Amino acid sequence: MAGPITGSMAIGGYGISGGYRMYGNARVSASASQGSAAPDDQVKAGRKSSPSECQTCKSRKYQDGSNESDVSFKAPGHISPQSSAGTVRAHEQQHVSNAYEKAAKGNGKVISATVTLRTGVCPECGTTYVAGGETRTAISYSGEKNPYLKNQKAQSAASQIGSNVDYVA
């Protein structure tokens, strides 16, 4: 069996590079004790604006940084803070599905697929959001057609010659 082939996938916001990464917004619900006004209409302590008026959250763009053409966010797009967690999670799942398809086509096996989501806090309004995601996959391909695998097996066999000698007999 050949060694694992690994890849990293993500969708990212501007200024963030990587494989398959996604960066966005997710809202943490405010407690009911903040008063009678809606939580999106209140300016949090130490912040410049309320979440409903925040220009940073309204202008935040997301873009996939991978080389996979069949996933979402190849062109920059906006995700609202309220829906970013689900949107980022769904996007990263597209990368996991692609890894399983790639493994099935190449007579391989997905050894692992790990999705990591990151969170952030908007500096203008204090809204907590999903700031990104990253998918890491490892695929192992089997078969004797691989010349590297043949060479690895030959070297392993050569290193074992004479290693089990009974000197007493």
Side-chain angles (χ1 to χ4, degrees):
M1 186 174 202
I5 306 297
T6 61
S8 175
M9 302 170 240
I11 181 171
Y14 289 128
I16 300 171
S17 61
Y20 316 122
R21 241 179 230 127
M22 183 167 187
Y23 287 88
N25 314 341
R27 178 123 167 66
V28 172
S29 60
S31 66
S33 65
Q34 288 185 341
S36 60
D40 284 349
D41 293 334
Q42 294 181 356
V43 177
K44 296 177 184 175
R47 302 299 176 178
K48 297 177 187 176
S49 67
S50 68
S52 64
E53 299 171 348
C54 181
Q55 293 304 310
T56 302
C57 289
K58 289 179 183 177
S59 64
R60 187 173 288 118
K61 301 284 185 182
Y62 299 80
Q63 186 171 10
D64 181 62
S66 73
N67 59 358
E68 291 183 314
S69 61
D70 63 338
V71 294
S72 58
F73 291 96
K74 292 312 285 182
H78 174 73
I79 302 173
S80 71
Q82 296 80 4
S83 64
S84 64
T87 305
V88 172
R89 193 177 310 118
H91 170 84
E92 296 303 329
Q93 183 59 42
Q94 289 175 326
H95 289 297
V96 172
S97 297
N98 286 348
Y100 276 93
E101 286 179 28
K102 182 180 176 183
K105 287 179 183 177
N107 195 25
K109 179 181 177 184
V110 175
I111 296 171
S112 70
T114 306
V115 174
T116 305
L117 298 179
R118 293 180 183 85
T119 59
V121 178
C122 178
E124 184 178 338
C125 68
T127 300
T128 303
Y129 59 94
V130 172
E134 183 173 1
T135 300
R136 292 189 179 273
T137 59
I139 302 173
S140 178
Y141 295 95
S142 62
E144 293 297 322
K145 295 178 184 176
N146 185 343
Y148 298 105
L149 179 60
K150 285 182 180 180
N151 189 28
Q152 182 182 12
K153 286 182 178 182
Q155 287 179 350
S156 178
S159 69
Q160 295 298 318
I161 295 174
S163 64
N164 294 324
V165 177
D166 186 2
Y167 290 107
V168 177

